[in-house]
Amino acid sequence: MLPTIDEIVSNFELLDEWEERYRYLIELGRLMEPLPDEAHNDVNKVQGCASQVWLQTDLDSANGKPVLHLRGDSDAHIVRGLVALLISLYSGKTASEALSTDALGLFKGLGLSEHLTPQRSNGVRSMVERIRRDAQMALAAT
């Protein structure tokens, strides 16, 4: 089970070296709930990532508001950790909350923006855009 986003941020602040932070990201990826084989499909595949990334968004309703439940996977260890970080940030939020969440600001605050390759940074943006699009579609459907 993944830690909360607040726990992840606290743990990042305790790690001084970037190599330790990368190891922590990899560990987060290992803690993710496995994505079923059938979910590794074109519908869930995130376009714009250099690595293979899949995000599955399921919805339920809380007080008539759509709530996002995310699962994901990647074929690259660090990217899988980035997926886990985004899942901790977005999963369980209403679609409205997800749209007002600043994931890129969080990545900047954690120092990830300056320590990720341009390809990985583009992939993170693609994942965030995908989650935001799913949230917008969920709101439009209500």
Side-chain angles (χ1 to χ4, degrees), residues 94-108:
T94 65
S96 297
E97 289 170 333
L99 289 172
S100 65
T101 297
D102 183 11
L104 300 180
L106 172 70
F107 274 66
K108 186 174 183 176

Side-chain angles (χ1 to χ4, degrees), residues 9-53:
V9 169
S10 293
N11 289 338
F12 250 85
E13 290 170 355
L14 295 173
L15 302 171
D16 295 326
E17 301 293 323
W18 270 96
E19 196 161 312
E20 292 173 331
R21 290 179 176 198
Y22 287 132
R23 278 197 295 273
Y24 180 58
L25 272 177
I26 291 168
E27 182 59 30
L28 287 175
R30 290 185 180 128
L31 293 174
M32 264 194 314
E33 176 184 341
L35 189 65
D37 288 340
E38 63 271 10
H40 290 88
N41 57 43
D42 289 341
V43 172
N44 292 331
K45 190 166 184 184
V46 178
Q47 302 302 315
C49 295
S51 302
Q52 303 253 25
V53 175

Side-chain angles (χ1 to χ4, degrees), residues 48-102:
C49 295
S51 302
Q52 303 253 25
V53 175
W54 298 270
L55 280 174
Q56 180 181 30
T57 305
D58 294 318
L59 299 170
D60 69 20
S61 184
N63 299 328
K65 297 178 182 178
V67 176
L68 305 177
H69 296 284
L70 303 168
R71 292 193 300 178
D73 196 8
S74 176
D75 62 348
H77 294 298
I78 289 178
V79 176
R80 189 170 157 78
L82 296 171
V83 170
L85 183 61
L86 289 173
I87 287 173
S88 287
L89 180 62
Y90 283 105
S91 201
K93 289 191 175 194
T94 65
S96 297
E97 289 170 333
L99 289 172
S100 65
T101 297
D102 183 11

